[in-house]
Amino acid sequence: MITDLIDVHAPAIDVQGLVKTFGDNEVLKGIDLTVTAGEVVCVIGPSGSGKSTLLRSVNLLEEPTGGKILIEGIDITDPDIDIDGVRTRIGMVFQSFNLFPHMSVVGNLTIAQRRVKKRGKAESEKIAHEMLARVGMAHKADAYPTQLSGGQQQRVAIARALCMNPDMMLFDEPTSALDPELVGEVLQVMRSLADEGMTMLVVTHEMGFAREVGSRLIFMDGGHIVEEGDPREVLGNPQHQRTKDFLSRVL
Ligand code: ADP
Ligand code: MG
């Protein structure tokens, strides 16, 4: 059992010298990153700097070219590892919500529980309703995704991830596809998750969220972590010219 291997004292995420190339394009050039249980680490940086590739590597949607990634002490780059077992411990939320359009909200929330967790219909529906309540969407359990706003769909996508009882959540620009007036409701859900102690790695352009909710802020550029630290420090007093240039463009 994978659970027997988990080291509760190990960091949630421990990325060591991660290198990723696509052909001859080296996109990640040696990333070292440790996320401790309960931390909310936000990642900012220009388009193309490797943020999504980093997140996707953490649950092996991308195969690392070099380096190591340990999840709760387990080396997931070890070819013998049960990666599906590790993946169920990591929830991922993307910019696009990727809900199944032909299924109701509850259907979207139960399918992976039934197939991957082997839960029965009643149990998976009970958990689905609990998680919908957590994101303020209990009243839309029987709706179809097209009947929901983008913000509502993203909250459903977060609930869907929570149904798998992940130990940590990865967010890749979860509000970037939303109309501005819908961003707040999604950030509010993420903030409540953080308050409940969820370990989170969040790629975002929402500097207010990073400042107020983040325990640490990382600035990436050109496949490197250029700067990291307390979000207020990094945003208010950036040390590197590249960070200053980026922030002056976005703030
Ligand atoms: P960010 O999320 O910071 O915008 P990405 O991680 O998406 O950056 O992309 C970093 C670089 O990697 C870009 O140059 C992009 O074109 C390249 N890249 C990402 N995914 C692939 C892929 N599947 N195949 C080839 N190149 C890719
Ligand atoms: Mg990206």
Side-chain angles (χ1 to χ4, degrees), residues 199-224:
T199 308
M200 294 166 50
L201 183 57
V202 184
V203 176
T204 186
H205 297 296
E206 294 295 329
M207 300 300 164
F209 178 88
R211 184 187 293 109
E212 290 158 30
V213 183
S215 25
R216 192 146 43 99
L217 181 60
I218 287 177
F219 171 65
M220 277 183 73
D221 193 14
H224 294 282

Side-chain angles (χ1 to χ4, degrees), residues 60-112:
L60 289 195
L61 292 174
E62 301 292 353
E63 191 187 342
T65 308
K68 264 192 190 185
I69 301 172
L70 287 81
I71 298 295
E72 296 173 322
I74 300 171
D75 181 359
I76 63 167
T77 47
D78 178 341
D80 293 332
I81 205 69
D82 165 21
I83 185 57
D84 291 331
V86 174
R87 272 202 195 113
T88 64
R89 313 190 74 81
I90 307 174
M92 182 129 183
V93 174
F94 301 90
Q95 183 174 333
S96 53
F97 331 117
N98 301 325
L99 299 174
F100 292 118
H102 60 289
M103 282 183 189
S104 69
V105 165
V106 164
N108 271 278
L109 266 61
T110 52
I111 182 165

Side-chain angles (χ1 to χ4, degrees), residues 20-23 25-28 43-56 62 172-173 203 205 220 223:
K20 176 64 183 176
T21 59
F22 293 107
N25 184 11
E26 192 175 53
V27 169
L28 298 178
V43 182
I44 60 172
S47 178
S49 56
K51 305 179 300 294
S52 294
T53 304
L54 171 61
L55 244 64
R56 291 167 57 79
E62 301 292 353
D172 192 358
E173 301 197 28
V203 176
H205 297 296
M220 277 183 73

Side-chain angles (χ1 to χ4, degrees), residues 105-121:
V105 165
V106 164
N108 271 278
L109 266 61
T110 52
I111 182 165
Q113 294 191 66
R114 302 199 62 181
R115 291 199 182 157
V116 180
K117 292 273 189 190
K118 310 289 181 207
R119 289 177 184 149
K121 185 174 190 307

Side-chain angles (χ1 to χ4, degrees), residues 42 214-219 227-235:
C42 295
S215 25
R216 192 146 43 99
L217 181 60
I218 287 177
F219 171 65
E227 181 161 356
E228 68 176 295
D230 180 274
R232 286 159 209 272
E233 278 296 309
V234 174
L235 293 172

Side-chain angles (χ1 to χ4, degrees), residues 14 29 55 66 82 104 122 125 135 146 157 159-160 205:
D14 189 3
K29 300 176 178 167
L55 244 64
D82 165 21
S104 69
E125 288 183 356
V135 302
T146 53
R160 177 179 56 182
H205 297 296

